[in-house]
Amino acid sequence: MQTQLFIGGQFVPAANGETLASLNPHDNSVIAEVAMAGPADIDRAVAAAKAAFPKWSKLAAMERGRLLLKLADAIEANADRLARLESIDTGHPIRDTRNLDVPRTAATFRYFGGMADKFEGSVIPVEAGFLNYLTREPVGVVGQVVPWNFPLMFTSWKMAPALAAGNCVILKPAELTPLSSLAIAELMAEVGFPAGVVNILPGLGSVAGQSIAEHPEIGKVAFTGSTAVGRRIVQASSGNLKKVQLELGGKGANLVFGDADLDAVVQGSAFGIFHNQGQACIAASRMIVHEAVADELLEKFVALARSIKIGDPLDPSTEMGPLTSSQHRDRVLSYVDIAREQGGRVLTGGKTPDAAALASGCYVEPTIVAAKPEDRVSQEEVFGPFMTVATFRTDEEALAIANGTEYGLGAGLWTRDLQRAHLVARELHAGMVWVNCYKRVSPASPFGGVGASGYGREMGFEAMREYTQPKSVWVNVDAQIPAYFPR
Ligand code: TAP
């Protein structure tokens, strides 16, 4: 297992020799001591990336794509190792890291590997006699700051489009979960990415992350994480006016209309809120249900929540693992008190599991709380297996509740009425809407939000636009330009 910084194609210790323990959230045992980058290391990585950029950006796009495709193959060849590493570092159940995280990571590198030589410029019809064409050029050295909830997958979401477009990358994984991105660095070196094209530097957000956001020679910073840190990144980036892309928090509305298929709602919503222990920006964290079906739905939903098998992430039968850190577990549990203080009713969960075998881990039971739309638990991102429920009478009321937070990332709705589905989808304040499903993602479909959920889009052609700058070139083919200063 690699535990050092990946700079200029080499694994190296941090300049100041600092390390930090990465813990297994199942029992808080130490997995590894990992090097922690400081500003001097970020400077070294930027120098390596700058040196690599001219050759990498001018390499035939098909060749850049070929390396990304090779990396996708290498990820699949190492699937089991990567899945285990991700499970012990994050707490994701192995059934998910095997079936979702690793395949999605490979799929993202493969999608953008295929995209590299298909992302085209354009010719713009301007006045006669001129040829005006638009090319899209890479930004240069880009910084990427990744959170701890999907460290492996987000490494691919961030790096794949940036590299396909010809940029060089400095990526900082979260201090809590650095291991899978270092394993990706190892595979990148193996499949032949040139030195310096990718640099992966674990480190503290307030030190290494801040240094990336401020760095005068980094042209763009892409960030996924909390809205509070997103704001800090915007401020830090102002020195050199770098491009900023922000994928921030969410408070996903999940609207259930009276005509919905309730069994489908239960399954889709349980995936929406309890997959990855609810640690997802697009979690279905607010159920907003028509009062006529609320009792029937909640009875089924609570029964399912109580039956979820919580346990060691490495056990293939585990359906929900621990949260990623004990600090985060405590933060999630603190929201149970906050809910009660404002009159919320805990319908199930709201505590750590009773099982003695889980006592030293970061576990929280699936939690469902009936709360008013204006309560803090209905407004703030809890980021755990914690769902609020509120009821509505009219479609207008449902929309007002759904759109009544500062966030606007993902939202879902369940109905058999086609016209209502399209109308509500149009009116939802969100970057992504799911109809009769929840939390679907694909490398081909743009991902991102509005409002306090940030700006810019990952995935698809939109991601390639984010990682490039347009250049308009005017050529006089046979235009007769009248003299402006006739003499
Ligand atoms: P954040 O503090 O936002 O951490 C996300 C990433 O930003 C980590 O890599 C972090 O580094 C880094 N970071 C922290 N301060 C930074 C700074 N000043 N400059 C640059 N980078 C910085 O999230 P958290 O504290 O881990 O979690 C708190 C809450 O954020 C969660 O409860 C949840 O609401 C939200 N969150 C949202 C998402 C998504 S997907 N939208 C993901 C994670 C968290 P270190 O962790 O290494 O310090």
Side-chain angles (χ1 to χ4, degrees):
M1 189 195 307
Q2 284 297 345
T3 57
Q4 297 197 312
L5 313 178
F6 185 65
I7 301 178
Q10 307 285 325
F11 285 95
V12 295
N16 59 12
E18 277 185 18
T19 62
L20 190 81
S22 197
L23 306 182
N24 178 344
H26 168 58
D27 54 9
N28 282 309
S29 57
V30 174
I31 308 167
E33 286 286 337
V34 178
M36 286 284 113
D41 302 301
I42 301 294
D43 284 344
R44 270 198 293 167
V46 171
K50 268 184 73 180
F53 179 72
K55 216 168 159 188
W56 177 248
S57 57
K58 289 187 178 64
L59 192 66
M62 193 180 282
E63 289 304 309
R64 289 199 301 269
R66 199 173 57 83
L67 280 169
L68 289 165
L69 295 172
K70 278 175 81 172
L71 178 62
D73 291 344
I75 288 168
E76 280 167 352
N78 287 272
D80 200 54
R81 183 176 152 242
L82 289 169
R84 287 177 65 82
L85 200 56
E86 190 76 337
S87 282
I88 60 171
D89 209 18
T90 63
H92 296 200
I94 189 91
R95 73 164 191 166
D96 287 342
T97 52
R98 275 194 188 130
N99 297 331
L100 295 175
D101 301 55
V102 172
R104 284 177 174 180
T105 301
T108 304
F109 281 117
R110 187 162 287 129
Y111 175 84
F112 284 103
M115 170 75 87
D117 58 352
K118 290 158 199 80
F119 182 63
E120 297 173 344
S122 56
V123 175
I124 298 162
V126 292
E127 63 253 51
F130 290 95
L131 168 67
N132 179 225
Y133 61 89
L134 190 79
T135 57
R136 301 208 64 108
E137 299 182 343
V139 176
V141 178
V142 302
Q144 305 184 321
V145 178
V146 176
W148 43 262
N149 56 331
F150 290 101
L152 178 65
M153 221 171 69
F154 285 166
T155 295
S156 68
W157 288 24
K158 290 265 180 289
M159 285 203 307
L163 295 171
N167 299 283
C168 292
V169 167
I170 318 285
L171 181 138
K172 189 199 89 64
E175 70 195 78
L176 294 172
T177 56
L179 299 177
S180 54
S181 56
L182 291 174
I184 294 288
E186 219 179 330
L187 294 179
M188 289 181 122
E190 255 172 58
V191 303
F193 275 83
V197 167
V198 169
N199 304 273
I200 297 192
L201 290 88
L204 299 181
S206 54
V207 180
Q210 184 79 15
S211 173
I212 288 173
E214 285 172 358
H215 207 287
E217 292 182 283
I218 291 182
K220 164 179 169 133
V221 61
F223 169 74
T224 298
S226 61
T227 301
V229 172
R231 290 199 172 97
R232 235 170 281 150
I233 285 187
V234 171
Q235 285 162 358
S237 68
S238 69
N240 69 335
L241 297 177
K242 56 172 66 67
K243 270 168 83 98
V244 180
Q245 182 178 347
L246 300 175
E247 202 275 274
L248 308 177
K251 194 71 187 171
N254 185 21
L255 293 170
V256 183
F257 291 92
D259 62 346
D261 171 348
L262 296 188
D263 291 325
V265 173
V266 169
Q267 278 300 324
S269 307
F271 172 72
I273 184 61
F274 298 134
H275 162 241
N276 197 28
Q277 296 71 253
Q279 299 169 126
C281 48
I282 53 172
S285 52
R286 285 186 300 149
M287 181 175 272
I288 302 160
V289 54
H290 192 278
E291 60 177 11
V293 294
D295 288 347
E296 186 187 345
L297 176 63
L298 285 174
E299 193 182 322
K300 290 176 186 225
F301 200 66
V302 166
L304 179 74
R306 288 188 179 144
S307 72
I308 291 174
K309 186 167 180 235
I310 306 177
D312 182 347
L314 289 182
D315 178 343
S317 69
T318 290
E319 294 174 326
M320 245 181 73
L323 302 194
T324 298
S325 70
S326 46
Q327 302 92 298
H328 189 56
R329 174 201 57 204
D330 297 345
R331 180 178 179 273
V332 169
L333 287 173
S334 76
Y335 273 99
V336 178
D337 299 330
I338 292 170
R340 287 198 173 110
E341 278 159 24
Q342 294 192 292
R345 271 183 312 119
V346 177
L347 306 182
T348 189
K351 61 182 184 58
T352 53
D354 298 327
L358 307 181
S360 52
C362 309
Y363 291 89
V364 174
E365 286 182 351
T367 299
I368 302 174
V369 175
K372 299 182 291 302
E374 64 275 18
D375 288 355
R376 279 184 63 193
V377 284
S378 307
Q379 291 289 322
E380 298 174 17
E381 187 178 41
V382 178
F383 218 65
F386 187 112
M387 188 187 81
T388 61
V389 194
T391 56
F392 68 88
R393 282 189 186 157
T394 64
D395 290 14
E396 292 69 31
E397 198 189 342
L399 265 171
I401 298 172
N403 290 340
T405 75
E406 61 172 341
Y407 293 110
L409 194 58
L413 64 112
W414 303 81
T415 180
R416 291 183 167 106
D417 180 332
L418 185 65
Q419 192 175 20
R420 173 193 273 150
H422 286 293
L423 193 147
V424 174
R426 187 187 70 192
E427 297 301 320
L428 279 168
H429 184 62
M432 292 160 283
V433 174
W434 299 281
V435 178
N436 294 329
C437 57
Y438 212 97
K439 232 172 97 166
R440 310 306 307 177
V441 293
S442 158
S445 182
F447 185 104
V450 298
S453 295
Y455 44 76
R457 292 292 179 268
E458 307 202 273
M459 313 294 227
F461 281 84
E462 293 296 331
M464 296 296 286
R465 291 187 192 104
E466 297 280 347
Y467 280 101
T468 53
Q469 322 245 40
K471 179 183 274 177
S472 164
V473 179
W474 288 78
V475 183
N476 182 348
V477 178
D478 57 3
Q480 295 301 311
I481 306 176
Y484 187 63
F485 295 107
R487 297 287 185 269

